[in-house]
Amino acid sequence: MKIGMTCYPSAGGSGVIATELGHSLGRRGHDIHFISYSKPFRLDAEGDGIRFHKVKTVTYPLFKYPPYSLALSVRMAEIARRENLDILHVHYAIPHATSAFLANQILGEDRVKIVTTLHGTDITLVGSDESFFEITRFSIEQSDAVTAVSDFLADETKKVLKVKHKIDVIPNFVDASLFNVDADPNKREEMGLDDGPVLIHISNFRKVKNVQDLIRLLAAIEEPTGAQLLLLGDGPERVPCRILAEELGIQSRVHFLGNRLAVQNILPLADVLLLPSTVESFGLVALEAMACGVPVVGYDGGGLPEVVRHGVDGLLAPLGDRERMIEMTRELLQNDSRRAEMATSSRKRAVEAFSSDRITDQYEALYRRVLGTGD
Ligand code: GMT
């Protein structure tokens, strides 16, 4: 099949899934054309059926906001025509599903099939805002197939956006050969870590991730456990977190590593991954940690319980109960055998339920269904 793939190229779960799906489909012999304003951050060199097509925007004094969505539509239509695409698969509804709809209007009789994958904040935060509500709902309804990364997100889309379209749930996945349990001992020193247990958090440091809670959590359990915290990623909450760590006198125990490309080299060093988001439609980083044999502590809300089984692969505190999360983390760090059991279950679950092959099969089947070439 010839598939146009559009996602946000910056660090983030939706871009990672689009990219890894592209890699996986390319290896299966499909032609994958990435269309975005820059090359997705985890996209390997082109080859293996992968091509990248840049969307250029024009700046003009009249444009306070360059109309990227329009430039994207035009580029989608151009690539669809030139490369004879079968499908445009867009990740994150805003504005990608709308741009794909417009591209099809341009293409007229040559229109292609549109698959829209919903990832989370495109529904739970941004899509439900009144400025985007109507256009998000409209563009989703106009898609030939709609997928969501969890049951939670599919339900929210129906409830919040009142979407009537059938939504297929296709969960996220991880390359369990790349994300594995092998820790490089030299990395510990390189990261400035001592022999104490390691807590890790990876995100875009937005409000919804509650990263400041982790600084407070570390302050509460640092003394009895000797724990240290690795923070990977960047975003608006990074500076407030630094200030808070200094105020609480634990700055030497918190390591800010910024955005890292190869998180699979760092994750296996950790004892626990912390993900205290208010809402996480899936929590791809939790799955990546599980593949590396790292149990997860988070909240029992959103799509996270569909990934992490409480008491089996990690621990989920009642939503918003910070004190319980602190207690759970301390107890887990002080119980080596329980942590080891959870590490084994986590890895097993990642490999068995969320493997790249298994999920690529599901996307391939969906593509065949919309093209009418399925069973
Ligand atoms: O978490 C973010 O803000 C980034 C966002 C994205 O689109 O990259 O993540 C969302 O999509 C990921 C991939 O499907 C999910 O694993 C995340 O749970 C989801 N984030 C939220 O729901 C907050």
Side-chain angles (χ1 to χ4, degrees), residues 98-115:
T98 311
S99 298
F101 168 79
L102 285 176
N104 258 349
Q105 299 300 301
I106 297 171
L107 288 168
E109 282 182 0
D110 297 329
R111 74 182 297 277
V112 297
K113 299 291 180 188
I114 297 173
V115 175

Side-chain angles (χ1 to χ4, degrees), residues 5-10 33-40 52-56 68 72 75 96:
M5 196 75 83
T6 290
C7 63
Y8 281 104
S10 49
H33 296 264
F34 278 88
I35 309 169
S36 191
Y37 60 82
S38 69
K39 199 163 156 181
F52 169 66
H53 308 274
K54 188 176 167 68
V55 179
K56 290 190 213 97
Y68 172 68
L72 175 60
R75 193 75 167 132
H96 304 146

Side-chain angles (χ1 to χ4, degrees), residues 56-321:
K56 290 190 213 97
T57 47
V58 178
T59 52
Y60 185 69
L62 204 58
F63 297 157
K64 188 169 175 197
Y65 310 103
Y68 172 68
S69 323
L70 301 184
L72 175 60
S73 306
V74 173
R75 193 75 167 132
M76 282 171 160
E78 179 196 331
I79 304 300
R81 223 183 257 132
R82 194 179 77 205
E83 303 293 339
N84 214 0
L85 296 185
D86 300 303
I87 291 171
L88 282 169
H89 185 174
V90 299
H91 293 259
Y92 207 92
I94 307 167
H96 304 146
T98 311
S99 298
F101 168 79
L102 285 176
N104 258 349
Q105 299 300 301
I106 297 171
L107 288 168
E109 282 182 0
D110 297 329
R111 74 182 297 277
V112 297
K113 299 291 180 188
I114 297 173
V115 175
T116 297
T117 291
L118 309 172
H119 281 273
T121 46
D122 44 355
I123 302 301
T124 56
L125 287 179
V126 197
S128 46
D129 186 279
E130 63 179 340
S131 340
F132 293 122
F133 182 94
E134 288 274 12
I135 192 77
T136 310
R137 183 171 63 176
F138 172 80
S139 311
I140 291 172
E141 296 287 17
Q142 294 297 318
S143 304
D144 295 284
V146 181
T147 79
V149 297
S150 61
D151 288 326
F152 160 78
L153 186 58
D155 292 346
E156 281 295 285
T157 308
K158 286 175 195 151
K159 199 168 77 193
V160 179
L161 280 193
K162 316 265 182 293
V163 163
K164 299 272 186 304
H165 202 297
K166 171 180 161 62
I167 302 178
D168 288 274
V169 174
I170 303 186
N172 288 333
F173 59 93
V174 65
D175 179 346
S177 57
L178 193 63
F179 285 78
N180 60 49
V181 297
D182 302 332
D184 173 356
N186 298 324
K187 281 268 171 219
R188 262 192 109 88
E189 209 183 318
E190 195 186 309
M191 310 270 119
L193 296 168
D194 62 24
D195 290 339
V198 177
L199 300 170
I200 194 166
H201 171 80
I202 307 176
S203 78
N204 51 25
F205 282 63
R206 304 221 175 99
K207 270 267 181 235
V208 68
K209 306 285 173 179
N210 296 321
V211 195
Q212 290 194 51
D213 286 357
L214 298 184
I215 309 291
R216 293 191 193 92
L217 178 148
L218 185 69
I221 67 166
E222 197 256 323
E223 209 180 279
T225 61
Q228 51 215 313
L229 178 61
L230 284 183
L231 292 175
L232 274 75
D234 203 356
E237 285 291 288
R238 186 164 134 128
V239 172
C241 282
R242 237 183 219 290
I243 294 170
L244 184 61
E246 274 166 32
E247 276 171 13
L248 296 175
I250 53 163
Q251 66 273 28
S252 65
R253 308 299 292 159
V254 186
H255 305 267
F256 291 88
L257 302 183
N259 277 328
R260 295 286 175 125
L261 199 53
V263 290
Q264 67 273 17
N265 296 337
I266 302 173
L267 269 170
L269 299 175
D271 295 282
V272 170
L273 176 114
L274 296 166
L275 193 58
S277 311
T278 309
V279 65
E280 203 61 65
S281 70
F282 183 91
L284 180 61
V285 76
L287 178 59
E288 291 179 337
M290 286 163 66
C292 295
V294 179
V296 176
V297 174
Y299 285 129
D300 188 8
L304 198 58
E306 295 175 47
V307 185
V308 179
R309 295 164 302 178
H310 174 67
V312 182
D313 320 297
L315 296 169
L316 300 177
L319 191 57
D321 191 339

